Amino acid sequence: MARIAVIGAGMGAMAAAARLAVAGRRVTVYERSATYGGSVGRFERDGFVFDTGPGLLHLPAVYRDLFVKTGRESLEESVRLDQVDPASRHVFADGTDVLLPNASRAGVVSALDAALGAGAGERWGAFLGRARDAWDRSRRPLLEEPLWADWRTLGRDPYPAPRQRRLLRGARQAATVGEIGAWELADPRLVALLDGYALSYGLDPRHAPASAALLPYLEQTFGSWYVRGGMRELARAVYERCLARRVEFVFGAEVTRIAEKDGAAVGVELADGTVAAADQVVAGVSPAHLVERDLWSDGDVRPRPAASAPVPGRFTLLLALRGTRDADAAHRTVVHSPDGGAEAAEVFGGRTAERPTVTVLRPDDPEAHPEGHEAVTVTATVAPHGPVDWSAAAPRERYAEVLLAAAEAAVPELRKRLIRCEIRTPADTAARTGAEGGSVPAPALAGADGRMLYPANTTRLSGLYLAGGWAHPGGGLAHAGMSGSLVAGLIVEGAGFRGSQ
């Protein structure tokens, strides 16, 4: 029986582990912390329960497939999934307020027309139609197959931007999210809506390729889902599925080196000097510091560049509130910045945004709080730890006040109801997950000459495979699950594996 050593117990790594165990491999997971889940964390105090990572699930089909392929119990038998409807409420700088329904393009168009004026919904609907074309063109090579050896073909943007003729000047086509907003959507509130999607995934709207149109398309087409009890319940279910398939977990076991012999990975060395032999190694973390060689060349893949701009993280407030949630409160409210351009310049310039876009989650979940109270999470995308010293008390507390002020547009009288505020910054993320600067990886995107792609799941070190958000196809819960599926397929079926059909 082949032995597999998995580094890290994040969602992508556990997804790979469960699938490999079902395929007859003997799998051991080595996790530096005391628990599983990676960025999918939980904080509990005095009966209040909060997600400290992602709060919603998109593309649940990825995890449905994982549970189908690894056991008898379905995903819905392991956790309770609730569709979030309305999917989101948006509060714009001019006071306009709109509720967008879940997984209904016609409903979204109608809601935008009613709130923003006739024609706004039609423009957004036409944009979503072009985003659907981009999805159809890039879905398999970008998400469902190992990264092609000729990855440069994904450098071409699949978004079919319309050509716009101009008097006395050449025609133009949008190549970035910002240009889509300015040239195709026009209305500043639609611009803020689109920019907000990009920013929530850690992408700079000014430079993110037009193919980032996939992000609102996926959410508004396939819907948003909440896991009762919090997203940590999904991590628990995947962990328990691994245990049921006899995956072994070793917690408090930091891997310091990948053992090599004759040009192949043959195990892992732990901080205590122990060497665990393996036939293959799956790294659920960035492995560059664990080897003494270059794992990629320009001919293999173009890793996502980090030098041009810092990869942002998340600043989160966990709010315990007295009093119950309003019956008609939206699960998710996005309070948009009055100046998205300035916000992007600050976040991606390594500074704090003075007027950030803020996401407020108010789950209708009795398991998340004591009776008669409410648990609320407030999040903003921010520069990572390093450019900003998020470990220092003064900037943490000052920025918490900035987010509280913005969140009052979603939760009236928030400060009067406040019992306790817990602050989580990129410095905390870095300490918990090991991610440099507490950065959060965005999904891979086609276009931009391949600059938005991630390293392939295979490496130049034979027997070493990559899963998780810092490998193909990038960050996000669904993408992590996809990476686990790809790694398992490559190990079980070999280099000829081309993804699920």
Side-chain angles (χ1 to χ4, degrees), residues 341-393:
E343 179 184 17
E346 289 161 341
V347 169
F348 294 91
R351 305 186 303 278
T352 54
E354 294 305 312
R355 294 183 292 178
T357 296
V358 170
T359 298
V360 181
L361 297 182
R362 305 179 67 184
D364 184 12
D365 184 353
E367 298 179 21
H369 53 78
E371 186 176 357
H373 296 288
E374 182 180 9
V376 173
T377 303
V378 180
T379 304
T381 298
V382 297
H385 181 54
V388 177
D389 182 6
W390 289 119
S391 63

Side-chain angles (χ1 to χ4, degrees), residues 156-199:
R156 295 191 290 270
D157 200 309
Y159 179 77
R163 290 177 60 83
Q164 299 182 337
R165 300 186 181 279
R166 298 180 295 171
L167 186 64
L168 303 179
R169 288 183 290 176
R172 64 185 182 185
Q173 289 177 283
T176 66
V177 167
E179 289 172 349
I180 290 175
W183 301 347
E184 299 177 20
L185 299 178
D187 188 306
R189 295 162 297 185
L190 292 181
V191 172
L193 180 61
L194 177 58
D195 286 358
Y197 277 105
L199 191 65

Side-chain angles (χ1 to χ4, degrees), residues 196-208:
Y197 277 105
L199 191 65
S200 69
Y201 284 93
L203 297 168
D204 186 343
R206 302 168 303 167
H207 305 298

Side-chain angles (χ1 to χ4, degrees), residues 4-89:
I4 309 290
V6 178
I7 305 172
M11 297 299 282
M14 289 198 296
R19 291 177 182 271
L20 288 166
V22 167
R25 272 53 173 185
R26 192 172 73 204
V27 183
T28 303
V29 178
Y30 300 92
E31 167 57 46
R32 64 190 285 270
S33 73
T35 189
Y36 56 85
S39 65
V40 185
R42 169 184 285 169
F43 176 79
E44 300 182 48
R45 182 172 176 180
D46 298 335
F48 290 91
V49 179
F50 305 90
D51 285 319
T52 58
L56 291 173
L57 176 64
H58 305 296
L59 291 177
V62 173
Y63 287 92
R64 290 192 180 112
D65 181 70
L66 172 65
F67 277 74
V68 166
K69 300 291 175 56
T70 59
R72 295 180 179 178
E73 300 83 9
S74 68
L75 176 62
E76 277 79 358
E77 289 175 303
S78 303
V79 298
R80 174 174 165 177
L81 280 178
D82 296 329
Q83 274 196 308
V84 176
D85 200 3
S88 56
R89 174 189 174 204

